[in-house]
Amino acid sequence: MEQRPDYTIDQPIASYTAADHATWRTLFEHQASLLPGRACDEFLRGLKGLGVAADGIPDFNRLSDILGKATGWAIVAVPGLVPDDVFFGHLANRRFPVTWWIRKPEQMDYLQEPDVFHDIYGHVPLLMNPVFADYMQAYGQGGVKAQRLGEITHLARLYWYTVEFGLIRDASAAGGLRIYGSGILSSKSESIYCLDSRGPNRIGFDLLRVMRTKYRIDTFQKTYFVIDSFEDLFAATRPDFRPFYERLHGVQDLGAGEVADGDRVLTRGTGEGWGHSEDV
Ligand code: HBI
Ligand code: FE
């Protein structure tokens, strides 16, 4: 597998086994039965528009063609996690790096690293939405700047609590909320927990609040932040972040499960189902 300097490779389509495609099918079918009514409409529409289905791990070039026509984004195959500067560089140029390999059958529910199911199923459908597509590019551009400023920790929390684990208000949903975060959309147990459990806090999105907040990488989230719309999210993240970073230096980080003065608390969590681990 030849890797280019930007960490991209050609998707090794021929090396997927029948078992790999079967893993995709199992994961896909499970989420497809769960997500109508739980995932936001923009996600469900994007999935349909891409023609991503249960039949097997998709061909990245085919998806790139469709995505390119819709929003000018492309997907590129990578071996797995790539260095931050490489990752931000791709996003800033409207390329989404997608891990080519799929998880093993014993990791069906959750793994800490991204695999092709998480990256394609979780992330790519929303790139069909023009506003979200612009937000992702702006995040990449913000990443390039944050690196120069030594502010990756604060910026990465924004990615975590929006792109990976975000919830969005939707008056037509049973509990008034739907999922747009890819880490939830690609997890069968968290896609139930985040909406149905009394355990987690659900707090209205606020940029500075999110950037102050540590998170969990190996258990369900203790707090979900809720946006009103993708337009609002994009608008909130439009300004230059430098003054925000400066203000953050005067305040202490918040733990993943803490509720602070001034929070717009939608539901205060009971702590059920949080598990035991460290915030990062
Ligand atoms: N690389 N392939 C890949 N996918 C990611 O989501 C990713 C990455 N490298 C760095 C990274 N994410 C994060 O550290 C930043 O968003 C902060
Ligand atoms: Fe992800």
Side-chain angles (χ1 to χ4, degrees), residues 78-88 91 96-99 114 118-119 123 139 152 155-157 159-160 164 215:
V78 291
L81 283 172
V82 301
D84 289 341
D85 61 323
V86 175
F87 184 65
F88 297 138
L91 298 184
F96 193 78
V98 172
T99 306
H118 168 79
D119 281 340
H123 285 284
Y139 178 82
I152 295 294
L155 190 78
R157 291 173 181 164
Y159 192 83
W160 191 265
E164 294 289 350
Y215 55 83

Side-chain angles (χ1 to χ4, degrees), residues 26-76:
T26 303
L27 292 166
F28 187 100
E29 284 177 345
H30 196 93
Q31 292 314 92
S33 71
L34 219 49
L35 292 181
R38 293 177 176 271
C40 66
D41 288 333
E42 291 86 348
F43 169 83
L44 296 167
R45 241 181 282 136
L47 195 61
K48 202 176 257 183
L50 286 164
V52 170
D55 47 345
I57 300 168
D59 178 336
F60 296 178
N61 290 331
R62 186 183 70 75
L63 299 187
S64 263
D65 286 345
I66 299 170
L67 200 52
K69 286 183 189 119
T71 58
W73 273 74
I75 58 178
V76 289

